[in-house]
Amino acid sequence: MGLLLLWLLYRKMDFRSLGRTLTEEADWGILILASLFGTLGNFFRGWRWSILLEPLGNKAKLFGNSALTVQGNYAVNMVLPRLGEIWRCSTMKVYTGIPFSRLLGTVVVDRGMDVVVAAILAAAAAMLNLPFFLNFFEQNPQFVTKVETLSRNPLFWVLVIGVFLFLGWVAYRFLFRKKSNGKVGSAITNLWEGLKTVFTMRRKWEFLLHTILIWISYFLQFYLTFYAFDFMSGLGWQEALMTFVLITFAVAAPVQGGIGAWHFMVIFSLVFFGVSRTDASSFALIVHTLQTLWTTVVGVLCIVFLPFYNRGGSAKA
């Protein structure tokens, strides 16, 4: 899917222009500095996860394992979207002994906070530059059409109601009935224990602080790349914020690293702000490729280092 999206975006690209941008115009010192902020953001995410995990039990090497597995999470996601979250929980179970379902509950909280922050950023960006978003929907009416069509489809609402009824039945069957002693009931109870950590963790203000630091780091990872190209000199933090909000949602697409969707959002945004399509396409391809490779390499190194870090101290799986 990612390669198909890339082909649709770049099938008419003048790759000689891309080569000139890559070899003559790009400031690689700034690009590498920006990538470091991505690693820093993932480090803060690992630190924040360790705060969620504290109430669940084993604290031995908890912070180190949290930091390393979160970095590795992004490398594994390049194999298959969202596989990294499963790998992260499986690996932490091995090294801490915390049940997988409890760990999964904390990951749901972790990703839930991302949704909250993304919504806040989208609201802030919309207030700062409403014409930008109106223009986006005018240029891409298929998004509005699809949402309207879906909302008028009775099968969609039957499915939504069915899902909520099923979840309600599961909650009643396995969380509130006393006879829920089976493996499924135990797993769901553990999942609930993981979800509850958002209320039971001790360092709530520190959790909030790390949430802010995560997103500041991610924003700087993107914004600093503007200074690596002369054709981006007319753009500032507000334009970067508009684009950052769109790529935040693009990364949620079910393709590795948001490939294709990320490029589309960046190219559309930069063209709207006055950058030529050729330059915008070069920028998107160079920045995404470098930062994806950087994150993947860092993740692989952390995966390799994990067994050495835990030598002689892993819990029984």
Side-chain angles (χ1 to χ4, degrees), residues 194-246:
L195 291 170
K196 286 197 305 182
T197 55
V198 72
F199 304 108
T200 59
M201 61 182 171
R202 292 185 299 104
R203 298 179 287 161
K204 292 183 175 63
W205 285 108
E206 191 174 341
F207 179 87
L208 180 60
L209 173 63
H210 281 89
T211 300
I212 295 170
L213 291 174
I214 288 167
W215 286 90
I216 289 176
S217 299
Y218 289 167
F219 175 69
L220 289 174
Q221 177 190 20
F222 179 68
Y223 177 45
L224 288 177
T225 61
F226 282 28
Y227 293 93
F229 304 90
D230 290 339
F231 55 77
M232 301 286 285
S233 59
L235 306 183
W237 70 268
Q238 287 183 304
E239 290 83 2
L241 179 61
M242 305 299 123
T243 312
F244 180 70
V245 168
L246 290 182

Side-chain angles (χ1 to χ4, degrees), residues 82-190:
R82 304 298 167 242
L83 181 63
E85 278 75 13
I86 304 300
W87 172 85
R88 193 210 306 190
C89 294
S90 300
T91 304
M92 283 295 285
K93 176 190 174 185
V94 171
Y95 291 128
T96 66
I98 300 173
F100 175 89
S101 47
R102 289 191 182 187
L103 292 163
L104 186 61
T106 62
V107 170
V108 172
V109 173
D110 179 75
R111 293 307 184 186
M113 286 301 299
D114 288 345
V115 174
V116 171
V117 174
I120 293 171
L121 288 174
M127 287 188 289
L128 286 170
N129 199 338
L130 187 59
F132 171 80
F133 289 95
L134 294 176
N135 182 73
F136 176 81
F137 289 113
E138 287 174 5
Q139 296 292 323
N140 300 275
Q142 69 273 18
F143 289 101
V144 179
T145 303
K146 287 178 181 178
V147 171
E148 289 178 349
T149 302
L150 190 63
S151 66
R152 289 196 297 265
N153 190 332
L155 290 176
F156 169 74
W157 293 109
V158 169
L159 179 62
V160 171
I161 293 170
V163 168
F164 275 102
L165 288 175
F166 174 73
L167 291 176
W169 176 83
V170 168
Y172 169 76
R173 176 67 179 81
F174 294 109
L175 296 180
F176 301 110
R177 286 183 61 178
K178 293 182 179 179
K179 294 182 180 180
S180 59
N181 296 321
K183 289 185 177 180
V184 176
S186 176
I188 294 178
T189 302
N190 281 333

